[in-house]
Amino acid sequence: MEVSITLAGPDGAGTDGAGADGAGADGPAGLESLDGWLRGETELAGQIRPSVPQPRPGDMGALPEALIVAVGSGGAVSALAAALSGWLSQPRRSDIRVRVEVPGDRVVEVGGDRVRADQIESLLRQALDIPGKAED
């Protein structure tokens, strides 16, 4: 299963104020930063690709508007949740929110303020309809 990850400012708006570009409050650099952070997770190796829209007439190209992450197992969900939590905890100049969309119009949106990895993982599992970890 693939999930789409976009970034937005605290009000849900993208860099253009309308939330249309998905790059978020930090602009394309924010999405690039998240891409680099996720690619550092060995469990997610080879599972991440940028989603680049078709350029508009007259444009020389387009910037990625989202990251697509393949999460087929519980381990990948845990790795994604931990990576998102770690990335969100990094200091930045502006507030930011991560929006994860999954097939079936299910959405999880988390902000960088006071969010723990286990909370993000629980929300991801609910959106993906994956049972939680078995208790040891």
Side-chain angles (χ1 to χ4, degrees):
M1 177 180 300
E2 292 185 334
V3 299
S4 172
I5 301 174
T6 57
L7 303 180
D11 60 355
T15 55
D16 63 356
D21 66 359
D26 287 347
L31 202 57
E32 184 178 330
S33 169
L34 178 57
D35 185 31
W37 189 275
L38 294 177
R39 288 180 191 278
E41 294 294 320
T42 56
E43 294 89 351
L44 299 175
Q47 305 302 312
I48 303 157
R49 64 181 167 81
S51 173
V52 182
Q54 289 293 323
R56 290 178 268 181
D59 286 351
M60 294 182 69
L63 295 171
E65 62 182 11
L67 297 175
I68 307 299
V69 182
V71 290
S73 68
V77 172
S78 296
L80 178 59
L84 288 174
S85 178
W87 186 80
L88 281 168
S89 70
Q90 299 301 303
R92 40 184 59 78
R93 294 178 304 228
S94 59
D95 291 335
I96 199 159
R97 299 186 65 74
V98 174
R99 180 181 173 97
V100 179
E101 297 181 45
V102 299
D105 296 327
R106 292 175 289 182
V107 176
V108 172
E109 191 167 321
V110 293
D113 50 343
R114 297 177 299 280
V115 178
R116 298 185 331 255
D118 62 327
Q119 292 171 318
I120 294 174
E121 183 172 353
S122 176
L123 290 169
L124 284 174
R125 287 180 180 282
Q126 287 175 13
L128 294 167
D129 201 24
I130 297 174
K133 292 182 191 176
E135 297 296 324
D136 293 329

